[in-house]
Amino acid sequence: MGEFVELEAQDGVRMPWNVLPGSKQESSNCVVPVSAIYTPIKPFPNMPVLPYSPLRCRTCRSVLNPFCTVDFSAKIWVCPFCFQRNQFPPHYASISDDNLPAELFSQYTTIEFEDPQMISSSAPSPMIFMFVVDTCMIEEEMAFLKSALSQAIELLHENSLVGLITFGTLVHVHELGFGEITKTYVFKGSKDVSKEQLLEQMGFFLKKPKPSTGVIAGARDGLSADSISRFLLPASQCEFTLNSVLEELQKDPWPVPPGQRASRCTSTALSVAACLLGACVPGSGARILAFIGGPSTEGLGAIVSKNLSEPIRSHKDLDKDSAPHYHKAVKFYEGLAKQLVHQGHVLDLFACALDQVGVAELKVAVEKTGGLVVLAESFGHSVFKNSLRCIFQSGGHDLGLSSK
């Protein structure tokens, strides 16, 4: 058993069976199905790094590995996936049973390749964080959240791109690149906004005309770098502006009538964040960090009405399928999850409130994008503060997300 534990630690692969069934009868007798769990970013302190490009199969593009069949005399290797016979290139001419390249070592089942030419020609992509902040909270909770965000900003790598969206009754997209005064673009919380409407209303095509055809996706496809830098700036350039905005940030000013809940448009704010990142930095691995302090009552993802006479759905309501807003909200977040997955972006949720915030509806978007959920009673709770710190800092107890 120790051998399998060592292999798991080395390769990040765990399987329910150590031996695969050899016949159809044995397979049908397996109560637990044959499967595998793979951890691609598992920490490996002694990871072998080879200073050249991998040798790939010409058919399926798999990489030369210890499980390939090698004919040393003919200088041919057989791909174990598609069984394609591949010729070794000239620089493998000296290969033999006693002179193996590192990728054929039996103990090197997990290795990394580091191409010097690619390293010199391409700079590493910066981390991208879009903060989506709920303002429908009491002043005490707002103070806790602003303090935690200010500390998190200090931990950001100087090259990390940062954006800020706040929401309550309305959605406010902050233009951090306009440092002279506070400048925001406001969207109605009860109305869904498409990517085309977002780009048009936020003036992305004032200096550069809108492409007549094709998909608008980043600086290479339709947008200018200047227009993107209005809303996504390196932390070193916008730290002062961002802290100034957070210091001036107040509770949502719209009055809440007696007997009603605050108008909170969580779904619209997340949709605006997804559309903005999809247009500016598609395929970048950007993270949307949503800080929510109560239930959504506005937009397509609302989980309860504004009227306090209607209670928030309980676990029994979900079990009995009697939650009136549940299916509509889940349908919206399934669409949002599909959009984020297509864009290569992640949704992280920080839900800190004594009341429910709608994690049951939101979880599909978090799970499908590989995000994380932090639940706490308050933004002043140590669980929230420590969890947020672990995202940005580098150390023995971090989450491996920091770019420092």
Side-chain angles (χ1 to χ4, degrees), residues 337 346-349 362-373:
V346 181
L347 173 62
D348 297 324
L349 177 62
L362 265 162
K363 70 175 183 180
V364 62
V366 178
E367 290 176 347
K368 289 189 176 182
T369 59
L372 54 89
V373 175

Side-chain angles (χ1 to χ4, degrees), residues 158-178:
E158 60 181 9
N159 294 327
S160 298
L161 299 182
V162 186
L164 177 65
I165 294 175
T166 58
F167 69 94
T169 305
L170 305 172
V171 179
H172 298 259
V173 182
H174 296 262
E175 186 175 333
L176 301 178
F178 195 79

Side-chain angles (χ1 to χ4, degrees), residues 217-289:
R220 294 183 179 180
D221 297 302
L223 296 184
S224 65
D226 291 339
S227 62
I228 295 174
S229 63
R230 291 162 55 204
F231 304 98
L232 291 171
L233 271 179
S236 59
Q237 298 181 24
C238 69
E239 184 176 358
F240 177 78
T241 304
L242 194 55
N243 281 319
S244 300
V245 173
L246 289 176
E247 287 177 7
E248 298 173 0
L249 195 61
Q250 301 293 327
K251 177 185 174 183
D252 187 40
W254 288 82
V256 181
Q260 290 198 1
R261 296 181 175 89
S263 180
R264 181 181 282 107
C265 57
T266 306
S267 58
T268 308
L270 294 177
S271 178
V272 169
C275 290
L276 182 60
L277 290 177
C280 295
V281 284
S284 60
R287 305 187 78 92
I288 299 174
L289 281 70

Side-chain angles (χ1 to χ4, degrees), residues 328-351:
K328 181 180 178 182
V330 169
K331 182 179 179 181
F332 168 81
Y333 286 117
E334 285 177 344
L336 181 66
K338 185 177 180 180
Q339 177 184 352
L340 290 173
V341 169
H342 177 71
Q343 295 173 180
H345 298 153
V346 181
L347 173 62
D348 297 324
L349 177 62
F350 297 85

